[in-house]
PDB file of all heavy atoms in Angstrom:
ATOM      1  N   GLU A   9       0.837  -1.199   0.016  1.00 97.00           N
ATOM      2  CA  GLU A   9      -0.008   0.005  -0.002  1.00 97.00           C
ATOM      3  C   GLU A   9       0.879   1.254   0.002  1.00 97.00           C
ATOM      4  O   GLU A   9       1.796   1.363   0.803  1.00 97.00           O
ATOM      5  CB  GLU A   9      -0.910   0.012   1.239  1.00 97.00           C
ATOM      6  CG  GLU A   9      -1.787   1.261   1.355  1.00 97.00           C
ATOM      7  CD  GLU A   9      -2.569   1.262   2.645  1.00 97.00           C
ATOM      8  OE1 GLU A   9      -2.189   0.545   3.592  1.00 97.00           O
ATOM      9  OE2 GLU A   9      -3.567   2.010   2.728  1.00 97.00           O
ATOM     10  N   PHE A  10       0.562   2.159  -0.876  1.00 98.00           N
ATOM     11  CA  PHE A  10       1.247   3.476  -0.911  1.00 98.00           C
ATOM     12  C   PHE A  10       0.920   4.245   0.346  1.00 98.00           C
ATOM     13  O   PHE A  10      -0.256   4.364   0.758  1.00 98.00           O
ATOM     14  CB  PHE A  10       0.829   4.243  -2.126  1.00 98.00           C
ATOM     15  CG  PHE A  10       1.247   5.684  -2.126  1.00 98.00           C
ATOM     16  CD1 PHE A  10       2.612   6.032  -2.314  1.00 98.00           C
ATOM     17  CD2 PHE A  10       0.333   6.700  -1.907  1.00 98.00           C
ATOM     18  CE1 PHE A  10       2.996   7.346  -2.285  1.00 98.00           C
ATOM     19  CE2 PHE A  10       0.707   8.018  -1.869  1.00 98.00           C
ATOM     20  CZ  PHE A  10       2.042   8.354  -2.082  1.00 98.00           C
ATOM     21  N   VAL A  11       1.948   4.846   0.931  1.00 98.00           N
ATOM     22  CA  VAL A  11       1.765   5.618   2.167  1.00 98.00           C
ATOM     23  C   VAL A  11       2.000   7.115   1.922  1.00 98.00           C
ATOM     24  O   VAL A  11       1.152   7.960   2.247  1.00 98.00           O
ATOM     25  CB  VAL A  11       2.700   5.123   3.286  1.00 98.00           C
ATOM     26  CG1 VAL A  11       2.597   5.995   4.508  1.00 98.00           C
ATOM     27  CG2 VAL A  11       2.365   3.675   3.629  1.00 98.00           C
ATOM     28  N   ALA A  12       3.174   7.457   1.390  1.00 98.00           N
ATOM     29  CA  ALA A  12       3.519   8.854   1.238  1.00 98.00           C
ATOM     30  C   ALA A  12       4.664   9.022   0.273  1.00 98.00           C
ATOM     31  O   ALA A  12       5.437   8.073   0.037  1.00 98.00           O
ATOM     32  CB  ALA A  12       3.922   9.462   2.592  1.00 98.00           C
ATOM     33  N   VAL A  13       4.771  10.195  -0.298  1.00 98.00           N
ATOM     34  CA  VAL A  13       5.853  10.554  -1.195  1.00 98.00           C
ATOM     35  C   VAL A  13       6.241  11.994  -1.044  1.00 98.00           C
ATOM     36  O   VAL A  13       5.369  12.832  -0.727  1.00 98.00           O
ATOM     37  CB  VAL A  13       5.522  10.204  -2.667  1.00 98.00           C
ATOM     38  CG1 VAL A  13       4.394  11.116  -3.168  1.00 98.00           C
ATOM     39  CG2 VAL A  13       6.722  10.284  -3.545  1.00 98.00           C
ATOM     40  N   VAL A  14       7.496  12.312  -1.245  1.00 98.00           N
ATOM     41  CA  VAL A  14       7.977  13.709  -1.254  1.00 98.00           C
ATOM     42  C   VAL A  14       8.860  13.876  -2.457  1.00 98.00           C
ATOM     43  O   VAL A  14       9.672  13.000  -2.771  1.00 98.00           O
ATOM     44  CB  VAL A  14       8.689  14.039   0.067  1.00 98.00           C
ATOM     45  CG1 VAL A  14       9.892  13.146   0.316  1.00 98.00           C
ATOM     46  CG2 VAL A  14       9.112  15.535   0.077  1.00 98.00           C
ATOM     47  N   SER A  15       8.734  15.020  -3.128  1.00 97.00           N
ATOM     48  CA  SER A  15       9.515  15.309  -4.292  1.00 97.00           C
ATOM     49  C   SER A  15      10.976  15.523  -3.926  1.00 97.00           C
ATOM     50  O   SER A  15      11.338  15.680  -2.756  1.00 97.00           O
ATOM     51  CB  SER A  15       8.980  16.505  -5.043  1.00 97.00           C
ATOM     52  OG  SER A  15       9.047  17.654  -4.231  1.00 97.00           O
ATOM     53  N   ALA A  16      11.835  15.546  -4.941  1.00 94.00           N
ATOM     54  CA  ALA A  16      13.274  15.673  -4.702  1.00 94.00           C
ATOM     55  C   ALA A  16      13.574  16.956  -3.925  1.00 94.00           C
ATOM     56  O   ALA A  16      14.447  16.938  -3.025  1.00 94.00           O
ATOM     57  CB  ALA A  16      14.021  15.655  -6.028  1.00 94.00           C
ATOM     58  N   GLY A  17      12.936  18.039  -4.274  1.00 92.00           N
ATOM     59  CA  GLY A  17      13.177  19.284  -3.606  1.00 92.00           C
ATOM     60  C   GLY A  17      12.405  19.485  -2.347  1.00 92.00           C
ATOM     61  O   GLY A  17      12.611  20.473  -1.615  1.00 92.00           O
ATOM     62  N   GLY A  18      11.461  18.582  -2.049  1.00 93.00           N
ATOM     63  CA  GLY A  18      10.667  18.691  -0.827  1.00 93.00           C
ATOM     64  C   GLY A  18       9.441  19.552  -0.984  1.00 93.00           C
ATOM     65  O   GLY A  18       8.704  19.717   0.018  1.00 93.00           O
ATOM     66  N   GLY A  19       9.164  20.119  -2.151  1.00 94.00           N
ATOM     67  CA  GLY A  19       8.084  21.023  -2.321  1.00 94.00           C
ATOM     68  C   GLY A  19       6.731  20.392  -2.567  1.00 94.00           C
ATOM     69  O   GLY A  19       5.711  21.059  -2.525  1.00 94.00           O
ATOM     70  N   PHE A  20       6.718  19.105  -2.845  1.00 97.00           N
ATOM     71  CA  PHE A  20       5.495  18.392  -3.118  1.00 97.00           C
ATOM     72  C   PHE A  20       5.411  17.154  -2.261  1.00 97.00           C
ATOM     73  O   PHE A  20       6.383  16.407  -2.135  1.00 97.00           O
ATOM     74  CB  PHE A  20       5.416  17.981  -4.579  1.00 97.00           C
ATOM     75  CG  PHE A  20       4.301  17.023  -4.921  1.00 97.00           C
ATOM     76  CD1 PHE A  20       2.997  17.486  -5.090  1.00 97.00           C
ATOM     77  CD2 PHE A  20       4.528  15.694  -5.002  1.00 97.00           C
ATOM     78  CE1 PHE A  20       1.973  16.620  -5.381  1.00 97.00           C
ATOM     79  CE2 PHE A  20       3.504  14.771  -5.314  1.00 97.00           C
ATOM     80  CZ  PHE A  20       2.234  15.261  -5.487  1.00 97.00           C
ATOM     81  N   THR A  21       4.262  16.933  -1.635  1.00 98.00           N
ATOM     82  CA  THR A  21       4.032  15.711  -0.898  1.00 98.00           C
ATOM     83  C   THR A  21       2.634  15.196  -1.221  1.00 98.00           C
ATOM     84  O   THR A  21       1.732  15.935  -1.589  1.00 98.00           O
ATOM     85  CB  THR A  21       4.125  15.924   0.621  1.00 98.00           C
ATOM     86  OG1 THR A  21       3.181  16.952   1.021  1.00 98.00           O
ATOM     87  CG2 THR A  21       5.513  16.340   1.035  1.00 98.00           C
ATOM     88  N   SER A  22       2.480  13.893  -1.089  1.00 98.00           N
ATOM     89  CA  SER A  22       1.203  13.265  -1.300  1.00 98.00           C
ATOM     90  C   SER A  22       1.089  12.048  -0.366  1.00 98.00           C
ATOM     91  O   SER A  22       2.102  11.422  -0.059  1.00 98.00           O
ATOM     92  CB  SER A  22       1.051  12.816  -2.765  1.00 98.00           C
ATOM     93  OG  SER A  22      -0.247  12.309  -2.999  1.00 98.00           O
ATOM     94  N   TYR A  23      -0.166  11.714   0.004  1.00 98.00           N
ATOM     95  CA  TYR A  23      -0.366  10.657   0.977  1.00 98.00           C
ATOM     96  C   TYR A  23      -1.493   9.754   0.556  1.00 98.00           C
ATOM     97  O   TYR A  23      -2.419  10.152  -0.137  1.00 98.00           O
ATOM     98  CB  TYR A  23      -0.726  11.263   2.345  1.00 98.00           C
ATOM     99  CG  TYR A  23       0.347  12.154   2.925  1.00 98.00           C
ATOM    100  CD1 TYR A  23       0.368  13.529   2.668  1.00 98.00           C
ATOM    101  CD2 TYR A  23       1.344  11.624   3.737  1.00 98.00           C
ATOM    102  CE1 TYR A  23       1.369  14.338   3.189  1.00 98.00           C
ATOM    103  CE2 TYR A  23       2.352  12.426   4.240  1.00 98.00           C
ATOM    104  CZ  TYR A  23       2.363  13.785   3.967  1.00 98.00           C
ATOM    105  OH  TYR A  23       3.342  14.567   4.499  1.00 98.00           O
ATOM    106  N   GLY A  24      -1.379   8.525   0.998  1.00 97.00           N
ATOM    107  CA  GLY A  24      -2.473   7.598   0.791  1.00 97.00           C
ATOM    108  C   GLY A  24      -3.647   8.006   1.660  1.00 97.00           C
ATOM    109  O   GLY A  24      -3.512   8.605   2.733  1.00 97.00           O
ATOM    110  N   ASP A  25      -4.847   7.658   1.186  1.00 97.00           N
ATOM    111  CA  ASP A  25      -6.052   8.073   1.884  1.00 97.00           C
ATOM    112  C   ASP A  25      -6.094   7.601   3.309  1.00 97.00           C
ATOM    113  O   ASP A  25      -6.613   8.292   4.214  1.00 97.00           O
ATOM    114  CB  ASP A  25      -7.267   7.551   1.134  1.00 97.00           C
ATOM    115  CG  ASP A  25      -7.518   8.250  -0.172  1.00 97.00           C
ATOM    116  OD1 ASP A  25      -6.960   9.365  -0.383  1.00 97.00           O
ATOM    117  OD2 ASP A  25      -8.241   7.713  -0.996  1.00 97.00           O
ATOM    118  N   SER A  26      -5.572   6.419   3.597  1.00 97.00           N
ATOM    119  CA  SER A  26      -5.676   5.845   4.909  1.00 97.00           C
ATOM    120  C   SER A  26      -4.811   6.540   5.968  1.00 97.00           C
ATOM    121  O   SER A  26      -4.985   6.347   7.170  1.00 97.00           O
ATOM    122  CB  SER A  26      -5.283   4.352   4.885  1.00 97.00           C
ATOM    123  OG  SER A  26      -3.968   4.169   4.467  1.00 97.00           O
ATOM    124  N   VAL A  27      -3.838   7.364   5.528  1.00 98.00           N
ATOM    125  CA  VAL A  27      -2.910   8.004   6.468  1.00 98.00           C
ATOM    126  C   VAL A  27      -2.994   9.515   6.421  1.00 98.00           C
ATOM    127  O   VAL A  27      -2.316  10.189   7.223  1.00 98.00           O
ATOM    128  CB  VAL A  27      -1.467   7.557   6.253  1.00 98.00           C
ATOM    129  CG1 VAL A  27      -1.384   6.045   6.286  1.00 98.00           C
ATOM    130  CG2 VAL A  27      -0.932   8.084   4.944  1.00 98.00           C
ATOM    131  N   LYS A  28      -3.780  10.091   5.557  1.00 97.00           N
ATOM    132  CA  LYS A  28      -3.888  11.562   5.453  1.00 97.00           C
ATOM    133  C   LYS A  28      -4.319  12.135   6.759  1.00 97.00           C
ATOM    134  O   LYS A  28      -5.236  11.680   7.435  1.00 97.00           O
ATOM    135  CB  LYS A  28      -4.873  11.915   4.371  1.00 97.00           C
ATOM    136  CG  LYS A  28      -4.368  11.717   2.943  1.00 97.00           C
ATOM    137  CD  LYS A  28      -5.423  12.131   1.924  1.00 97.00           C
ATOM    138  CE  LYS A  28      -4.890  11.943   0.511  1.00 97.00           C
ATOM    139  NZ  LYS A  28      -5.905  12.302  -0.510  1.00 97.00           N
ATOM    140  N   GLY A  29      -3.608  13.206   7.181  1.00 97.00           N
ATOM    141  CA  GLY A  29      -3.923  13.865   8.426  1.00 97.00           C
ATOM    142  C   GLY A  29      -3.214  13.294   9.638  1.00 97.00           C
ATOM    143  O   GLY A  29      -3.204  13.908  10.675  1.00 97.00           O
ATOM    144  N   ARG A  30      -2.635  12.118   9.455  1.00 98.00           N
ATOM    145  CA  ARG A  30      -1.934  11.491  10.596  1.00 98.00           C
ATOM    146  C   ARG A  30      -0.430  11.341  10.345  1.00 98.00           C
ATOM    147  O   ARG A  30       0.342  11.383  11.311  1.00 98.00           O
ATOM    148  CB  ARG A  30      -2.535  10.103  10.863  1.00 98.00           C
ATOM    149  CG  ARG A  30      -3.986  10.117  11.257  1.00 98.00           C
ATOM    150  CD  ARG A  30      -4.472   8.749  11.712  1.00 98.00           C
ATOM    151  NE  ARG A  30      -4.354   7.767  10.641  1.00 98.00           N
ATOM    152  CZ  ARG A  30      -3.646   6.658  10.730  1.00 98.00           C
ATOM    153  NH1 ARG A  30      -2.977   6.354  11.815  1.00 98.00           N
ATOM    154  NH2 ARG A  30      -3.638   5.784   9.683  1.00 98.00           N
ATOM    155  N   PHE A  31      -0.038  11.139   9.117  1.00 98.00           N
ATOM    156  CA  PHE A  31       1.370  10.884   8.779  1.00 98.00           C
ATOM    157  C   PHE A  31       1.935  12.101   8.041  1.00 98.00           C
ATOM    158  O   PHE A  31       1.220  12.748   7.277  1.00 98.00           O
ATOM    159  CB  PHE A  31       1.513   9.651   7.901  1.00 98.00           C
ATOM    160  CG  PHE A  31       1.259   8.348   8.567  1.00 98.00           C
ATOM    161  CD1 PHE A  31       0.688   8.249   9.829  1.00 98.00           C
ATOM    162  CD2 PHE A  31       1.583   7.162   7.915  1.00 98.00           C
ATOM    163  CE1 PHE A  31       0.435   7.039  10.428  1.00 98.00           C
ATOM    164  CE2 PHE A  31       1.337   5.933   8.497  1.00 98.00           C
ATOM    165  CZ  PHE A  31       0.756   5.873   9.765  1.00 98.00           C
ATOM    166  N   THR A  32       3.233  12.335   8.255  1.00 98.00           N
ATOM    167  CA  THR A  32       3.924  13.411   7.550  1.00 98.00           C
ATOM    168  C   THR A  32       5.232  12.926   7.042  1.00 98.00           C
ATOM    169  O   THR A  32       6.036  12.394   7.816  1.00 98.00           O
ATOM    170  CB  THR A  32       4.120  14.636   8.474  1.00 98.00           C
ATOM    171  OG1 THR A  32       2.871  15.078   9.003  1.00 98.00           O
ATOM    172  CG2 THR A  32       4.795  15.767   7.707  1.00 98.00           C
ATOM    173  N   ILE A  33       5.506  13.119   5.782  1.00 98.00           N
ATOM    174  CA  ILE A  33       6.786  12.776   5.195  1.00 98.00           C
ATOM    175  C   ILE A  33       7.607  14.017   5.058  1.00 98.00           C
ATOM    176  O   ILE A  33       7.130  15.099   4.746  1.00 98.00           O
ATOM    177  CB  ILE A  33       6.598  12.061   3.827  1.00 98.00           C
ATOM    178  CG1 ILE A  33       7.937  11.518   3.320  1.00 98.00           C
ATOM    179  CG2 ILE A  33       5.983  12.984   2.797  1.00 98.00           C
ATOM    180  CD1 ILE A  33       7.826  10.621   2.107  1.00 98.00           C
ATOM    181  N   SER A  34       8.924  13.883   5.288  1.00 97.00           N
ATOM    182  CA  SER A  34       9.835  14.994   5.132  1.00 97.00           C
ATOM    183  C   SER A  34      11.228  14.458   4.775  1.00 97.00           C
ATOM    184  O   SER A  34      11.451  13.256   4.896  1.00 97.00           O
ATOM    185  CB  SER A  34       9.890  15.816   6.456  1.00 97.00           C
ATOM    186  OG  SER A  34      10.412  15.053   7.516  1.00 97.00           O
ATOM    187  N   ARG A  35      12.091  15.348   4.367  1.00 96.00           N
ATOM    188  CA  ARG A  35      13.398  14.931   4.014  1.00 96.00           C
ATOM    189  C   ARG A  35      14.432  15.990   4.402  1.00 96.00           C
ATOM    190  O   ARG A  35      14.094  17.194   4.488  1.00 96.00           O
ATOM    191  CB  ARG A  35      13.520  14.623   2.529  1.00 96.00           C
ATOM    192  CG  ARG A  35      13.340  15.847   1.624  1.00 96.00           C
ATOM    193  CD  ARG A  35      13.214  15.416   0.165  1.00 96.00           C
ATOM    194  NE  ARG A  35      14.392  14.743  -0.321  1.00 96.00           N
ATOM    195  CZ  ARG A  35      14.436  13.931  -1.394  1.00 96.00           C
ATOM    196  NH1 ARG A  35      13.282  13.675  -2.055  1.00 96.00           N
ATOM    197  NH2 ARG A  35      15.559  13.383  -1.761  1.00 96.00           N
ATOM    198  N   ASP A  36      15.629  15.540   4.662  1.00 94.00           N
ATOM    199  CA  ASP A  36      16.749  16.425   4.976  1.00 94.00           C
ATOM    200  C   ASP A  36      17.858  16.018   4.000  1.00 94.00           C
ATOM    201  O   ASP A  36      18.568  15.069   4.216  1.00 94.00           O
ATOM    202  CB  ASP A  36      17.183  16.253   6.429  1.00 94.00           C
ATOM    203  CG  ASP A  36      18.283  17.254   6.816  1.00 94.00           C
ATOM    204  OD1 ASP A  36      18.924  17.832   5.917  1.00 94.00           O
ATOM    205  OD2 ASP A  36      18.430  17.472   8.023  1.00 94.00           O
ATOM    206  N   ASN A  37      17.943  16.765   2.921  1.00 91.00           N
ATOM    207  CA  ASN A  37      18.900  16.417   1.878  1.00 91.00           C
ATOM    208  C   ASN A  37      20.352  16.546   2.345  1.00 91.00           C
ATOM    209  O   ASN A  37      21.229  15.832   1.852  1.00 91.00           O
ATOM    210  CB  ASN A  37      18.662  17.261   0.651  1.00 91.00           C
ATOM    211  CG  ASN A  37      17.438  16.833  -0.123  1.00 91.00           C
ATOM    212  OD1 ASN A  37      16.860  15.783   0.139  1.00 91.00           O
ATOM    213  ND2 ASN A  37      17.045  17.634  -1.104  1.00 91.00           N
ATOM    214  N   ALA A  38      20.578  17.416   3.323  1.00 92.00           N
ATOM    215  CA  ALA A  38      21.925  17.567   3.856  1.00 92.00           C
ATOM    216  C   ALA A  38      22.358  16.306   4.608  1.00 92.00           C
ATOM    217  O   ALA A  38      23.549  16.032   4.722  1.00 92.00           O
ATOM    218  CB  ALA A  38      22.000  18.804   4.777  1.00 92.00           C
ATOM    219  N   LYS A  39      21.378  15.577   5.126  1.00 94.00           N
ATOM    220  CA  LYS A  39      21.669  14.341   5.869  1.00 94.00           C
ATOM    221  C   LYS A  39      21.358  13.072   5.036  1.00 94.00           C
ATOM    222  O   LYS A  39      21.504  11.970   5.549  1.00 94.00           O
ATOM    223  CB  LYS A  39      20.901  14.275   7.168  1.00 94.00           C
ATOM    224  CG  LYS A  39      21.283  15.383   8.149  1.00 94.00           C
ATOM    225  CD  LYS A  39      20.489  15.245   9.436  1.00 94.00           C
ATOM    226  CE  LYS A  39      20.899  16.313  10.435  1.00 94.00           C
ATOM    227  NZ  LYS A  39      20.112  16.233  11.695  1.00 94.00           N
ATOM    228  N   ASN A  40      20.928  13.247   3.807  1.00 93.00           N
ATOM    229  CA  ASN A  40      20.571  12.130   2.969  1.00 93.00           C
ATOM    230  C   ASN A  40      19.554  11.205   3.660  1.00 93.00           C
ATOM    231  O   ASN A  40      19.687   9.986   3.641  1.00 93.00           O
ATOM    232  CB  ASN A  40      21.788  11.300   2.554  1.00 93.00           C
ATOM    233  CG  ASN A  40      22.600  11.981   1.462  1.00 93.00           C
ATOM    234  OD1 ASN A  40      22.391  13.153   1.121  1.00 93.00           O
ATOM    235  ND2 ASN A  40      23.513  11.238   0.896  1.00 93.00           N
ATOM    236  N   THR A  41      18.538  11.806   4.258  1.00 96.00           N
ATOM    237  CA  THR A  41      17.578  11.049   5.060  1.00 96.00           C
ATOM    238  C   THR A  41      16.190  11.522   4.790  1.00 96.00           C
ATOM    239  O   THR A  41      15.931  12.733   4.645  1.00 96.00           O
ATOM    240  CB  THR A  41      17.883  11.177   6.559  1.00 96.00           C
ATOM    241  OG1 THR A  41      19.227  10.732   6.814  1.00 96.00           O
ATOM    242  CG2 THR A  41      16.934  10.372   7.387  1.00 96.00           C
ATOM    243  N   VAL A  42      15.263  10.554   4.712  1.00 97.00           N
ATOM    244  CA  VAL A  42      13.845  10.851   4.604  1.00 97.00           C
ATOM    245  C   VAL A  42      13.161  10.312   5.856  1.00 97.00           C
ATOM    246  O   VAL A  42      13.578   9.253   6.396  1.00 97.00           O
ATOM    247  CB  VAL A  42      13.220  10.276   3.330  1.00 97.00           C
ATOM    248  CG1 VAL A  42      13.319   8.738   3.303  1.00 97.00           C
ATOM    249  CG2 VAL A  42      11.790  10.721   3.154  1.00 97.00           C
ATOM    250  N   TYR A  43      12.120  10.977   6.330  1.00 98.00           N
ATOM    251  CA  TYR A  43      11.428  10.608   7.555  1.00 98.00           C
ATOM    252  C   TYR A  43       9.948  10.373   7.269  1.00 98.00           C
ATOM    253  O   TYR A  43       9.374  10.930   6.352  1.00 98.00           O
ATOM    254  CB  TYR A  43      11.565  11.685   8.609  1.00 98.00           C
ATOM    255  CG  TYR A  43      12.982  12.095   8.889  1.00 98.00           C
ATOM    256  CD1 TYR A  43      13.588  13.166   8.256  1.00 98.00           C
ATOM    257  CD2 TYR A  43      13.740  11.383   9.835  1.00 98.00           C
ATOM    258  CE1 TYR A  43      14.873  13.558   8.530  1.00 98.00           C
ATOM    259  CE2 TYR A  43      15.062  11.748  10.100  1.00 98.00           C
ATOM    260  CZ  TYR A  43      15.616  12.838   9.448  1.00 98.00           C
ATOM    261  OH  TYR A  43      16.907  13.190   9.734  1.00 98.00           O
ATOM    262  N   LEU A  44       9.358   9.559   8.135  1.00 98.00           N
ATOM    263  CA  LEU A  44       7.916   9.417   8.142  1.00 98.00           C
ATOM    264  C   LEU A  44       7.462   9.554   9.594  1.00 98.00           C
ATOM    265  O   LEU A  44       7.694   8.665  10.406  1.00 98.00           O
ATOM    266  CB  LEU A  44       7.490   8.081   7.588  1.00 98.00           C
ATOM    267  CG  LEU A  44       5.975   7.861   7.500  1.00 98.00           C
ATOM    268  CD1 LEU A  44       5.383   8.792   6.426  1.00 98.00           C
ATOM    269  CD2 LEU A  44       5.633   6.408   7.169  1.00 98.00           C
TER     270      LEU A  44
END
């Protein structure tokens, strides 16, 4: 099941219906890390 996605620059995010409003995706390109 798709949960979340963030664009390379971090300006776009999208979430699966089942997690909208509860989950947040983010990234720190300086640390080469993505978070949920």
Side-chain angles (χ1 to χ4, degrees):
E9 178 186 18
F10 168 73
V11 175
V13 67
V14 59
S15 62
F20 170 81
T21 58
S22 184
Y23 299 91
D25 289 341
S26 62
V27 306
K28 286 180 179 177
R30 299 188 298 121
F31 290 10
T32 303
I33 189 171
S34 62
R35 66 190 298 159
D36 186 340
N37 286 350
K39 297 181 178 179
N40 283 13
T41 302
V42 63
Y43 305 95
L44 183 68

